[in-house]
Amino acid sequence: VMPSLELPKVRKNQFIEIISISGGCLGNCSYCKTKHARGTLNSYSEDAIVSRALQAVEEGVTEIWLTSEDTGAYGLDIGSNIAKLLLKVADSLPERVMLKLGMTNPPYMLAHIQAVAEVLKRPNVFEYLHVPVQSGSDAVLRAMVREYSVAEFRRLVDGLRAEVPEIFIGTDVICGFPAEGAEDHRFSMDLVKEYRFPMLN
């Protein structure tokens, strides 16, 4: 059972409210224990998330950050999706309060490029997204069990950049993965050079 979003919270930054929109994961990445530790996807309702956001606004917060292990998978277990949630939260916030979306893996966000881009264009939403690619090699991605290809990652990033030209897209790359050879590593470096991500972990 997920903890209630109504529980009291101590904020490290009094102006930022970080809301977990779901717990668990639908992936089975070979290097990750998140699913073993937190189970499969378990999403909070849209209303519970909006209620928490509005409560935080009443307490003086000026930024709402939506986070989870994979924000793109939000709602697949409750008949909703990340685009619907973003729209609902953005609509509910006063003009002075900004909305920011956290990390998403490529597979589930691919279905919502256009809808998410439309929300990112709003003046009260940060043009920001963190999309880990992990490798520029399809062979390594298969060994990682990442459930997407480099071409699909490109389609997501290119689609968002086409709709939101100033979007800040950060990514992650794992170097030295057990299945990675010199050519695989070169593919990753070529991808990084091509896209010039402003944030690279």
Side-chain angles (χ1 to χ4, degrees), residues 134-136 140 144 172-181 184-186 188-189 192 200-201:
Q134 305 300 14
S135 177
V140 174
M144 291 177 171
D172 303 343
V173 173
I174 295 175
C175 295
F177 188 78
E180 183 183 75
D184 298 308
H185 181 71
R186 188 164 59 252
S188 293
M189 294 303 96
V192 168
L200 177 63
N201 299 317

Side-chain angles (χ1 to χ4, degrees), residues 129-141:
L129 201 59
H130 178 195
V131 189
V133 66
Q134 305 300 14
S135 177
S137 163
D138 282 337
V140 174
L141 290 176

Side-chain angles (χ1 to χ4, degrees), residues 19-22 41 43-44 46 49 65-68 70-90 99-117 119-120 129 156:
I19 302 174
S20 177
I21 62 174
S22 63
L41 181 68
S43 301
Y44 287 103
E46 295 173 21
I49 295 166
W65 294 7
L66 303 182
T67 67
S68 77
D70 183 358
T71 60
Y74 170 81
L76 293 178
D77 57 323
I78 59 172
S80 184
N81 62 61
I82 189 59
K84 284 183 183 178
L85 175 66
L86 281 174
L87 188 61
K88 190 164 188 174
V89 176
L99 176 63
K100 183 178 183 181
L101 182 62
M103 192 275 288
T104 179
N105 287 311
Y108 304 108
M109 189 60 79
L110 278 166
H112 307 293
I113 294 174
Q114 186 68 42
V116 168
V119 179
L120 292 174
L129 201 59
L156 176 59

Side-chain angles (χ1 to χ4, degrees), residues 23-51:
C25 181
L26 290 177
N28 291 288
C29 301
S30 61
Y31 57 82
C32 183
K33 61 183 179 181
T34 295
K35 193 165 188 176
H36 298 288
R38 300 190 179 182
T40 192
L41 181 68
N42 193 354
S43 301
Y44 287 103
S45 71
E46 295 173 21
D47 288 342
I49 295 166
V50 169
S51 177

